[in-house]
Amino acid sequence: MDALDIARLQGILAQIEHDAAQATDRGQVATYIPELAKIDPAQFAIAVSLPDGTTLTAGDAAVPFSIQSISKVFMLAIALGRLGDQLWQRVGREPSGLAFNSILQLEREKGIPRNPFVNAGAIAVTDAVLAGHQPKDVLGELLRFIRMCAEDDDIHINKSVAASEQATAHRNIALAEFMAAEGNLRNPAALTIGTYVHQCAVEMTCAQLARAGRFLTNAAGAPRLVSPARVRRINALMMMCGHYDGSGEFAYRAGLPGKSGVGGGILAIAPGRASIAVWSPGLNERGNSKLGSAAIETLTRETGWSVFG
Ligand code: DON
């Protein structure tokens, strides 16, 4: 990308941030994890990282936030590296059409979660990585992997957020116990959920998250930490399942694979071009960042980066 394009992109980001600052309806911050309910919903950040690591930002892009379900993408990459296609015996690859924490399908489908991004599926993925290892080692591996992706060691787990989620994790414990009843859990539910809530409590800034996503662009010059074939498949899952029952709407509006988190972050990938992170803590009714989704829609419209041309 030449200097003129970079200047234009910076202008688009500044405009998106300006528009977000005017918004009156910013959605609702998640309250079921009490620590997240304390976050100021007025904050907004956007960052675009180019394959070589050049990162453009606007807004609060240096403020760390809880990446929550975005961590599921990184744990999935680790799980696929360790188990390969065997992972798919335990987790499906179809969109769920249901809320991220729903238990309905799990009963009907005999303890096999629809995809690795709904909570049940992500818990199964974490459980698969954990089997035969200690939680601290798995969390250490996750942090090392994310730090390597971002080329930044200043990325940590927020223990207060993890404790806060653990104290209210009844639904996730129910999902894990249900999978155990169906023979789809390898560790005690408490161990798997304890690992999972810490994984979700990883904190990153928008700039760090955008940089960390570059390995998913399959672009020349980006870090190659996962094989190109696997990157394509992770992107397919993000496109179809990354926003839960809002995945169709996100694909329709943004035209990019993306993964949201209840902390208000979204990681979106423009294959071959850039990794994009947004953060706005207020969520829409599907639990995805309200202004964040709109910001990525504007960005793809202005840049022409939709995967659909
Ligand atoms: O398991 C949970 O409920 C949270 N740790 C993560 C959920 C989440 O981020 C859903 N995304 N929008």
Side-chain angles (χ1 to χ4, degrees):
M1 196 178 268
D2 65 26
L4 210 63
D5 289 338
I6 288 189
R8 181 165 175 268
L9 185 54
Q10 185 66 62
I12 294 170
L13 300 188
Q15 185 62 47
I16 287 172
E17 197 245 329
H18 179 265
D19 293 347
Q22 315 298 310
T24 47
D25 181 1
R26 309 182 73 85
Q28 301 293 320
V29 298
T31 52
Y32 76 98
I33 299 173
E35 277 297 300
L36 296 185
K38 297 179 186 165
I39 307 294
D40 175 6
Q43 298 173 95
F44 178 90
I46 185 160
V48 174
S49 198
L50 303 174
D52 69 359
T54 304
T55 302
L56 311 182
T57 67
D60 303 310
V63 179
F65 65 91
S66 194
I67 67 167
Q68 291 295 320
S69 288
I70 302 169
S71 67
K72 296 169 180 174
V73 177
F74 299 97
M75 195 60 107
L76 175 64
I78 292 174
L80 287 171
R82 196 173 286 175
L83 286 97
D85 282 346
Q86 271 184 14
L87 183 71
W88 304 122
Q89 292 170 8
R90 297 189 53 188
V91 190
R93 299 192 292 259
E94 297 295 343
S96 71
L98 289 170
F100 64 89
N101 56 4
S102 174
I103 198 165
L104 289 172
Q105 254 159 6
L106 205 52
E107 173 156 35
R108 205 175 300 131
E109 297 175 8
K110 308 245 175 304
I112 305 293
R114 267 290 167 106
N115 65 64
F117 294 145
V118 289
N119 282 7
I123 291 165
V125 168
T126 300
D127 182 69
V129 175
L130 186 58
H133 299 83
Q134 294 299 318
K136 68 169 177 15
D137 296 334
V138 167
L139 293 168
E141 183 177 354
L142 175 72
L143 272 180
R144 272 195 304 282
F145 180 60
I146 294 177
R147 287 169 179 165
M148 201 176 0
C149 294
E151 296 176 300
D152 188 337
D153 282 343
D154 191 17
I155 295 169
H156 308 277
I157 291 173
N158 182 323
K159 295 218 167 65
S160 312
V161 172
S164 176
E165 177 167 358
Q166 181 72 60
T168 56
H170 312 293
R171 285 190 79 98
N172 284 336
I173 293 167
L175 293 168
E177 292 289 10
F178 195 86
M179 288 192 283
E182 294 286 354
N184 195 16
L185 206 74
R186 302 287 174 269
N187 306 279
L191 210 63
T192 297
I193 294 300
T195 309
Y196 169 83
V197 300
H198 282 83
Q199 153 196 335
C200 290
V202 168
E203 275 188 352
M204 296 169 79
T205 70
C206 231
Q208 288 172 326
L209 182 59
R211 285 174 59 85
R214 285 173 302 145
F215 81 100
L216 292 169
T217 63
N218 263 351
R224 186 150 285 188
L225 300 167
V226 170
S227 74
R230 189 161 283 159
V231 161
R232 279 194 286 279
R233 289 173 160 168
I234 294 173
N235 273 284
L237 291 161
M238 288 170 73
M239 177 73 98
M240 299 304 291
C241 317
H243 283 69
Y244 316 108
D245 45 343
S247 298
E249 188 70 9
F250 187 80
Y252 180 84
R253 291 186 179 280
L256 294 180
K259 182 74 211 80
S260 64
V262 286
I266 300 175
L267 173 65
I269 303 301
R273 300 180 195 272
S275 164
I276 303 153
V278 286
W279 173 51
S280 176
L283 308 178
N284 63 22
E285 49 295 332
R286 302 270 160 86
N288 303 312
S289 175
K290 185 176 174 80
L291 297 186
S293 308
I296 295 178
E297 180 182 1
T298 306
L299 181 67
T300 45
R301 190 182 60 236
E302 295 297 319
T303 54
W305 282 355
S306 162
V307 299
F308 304 111

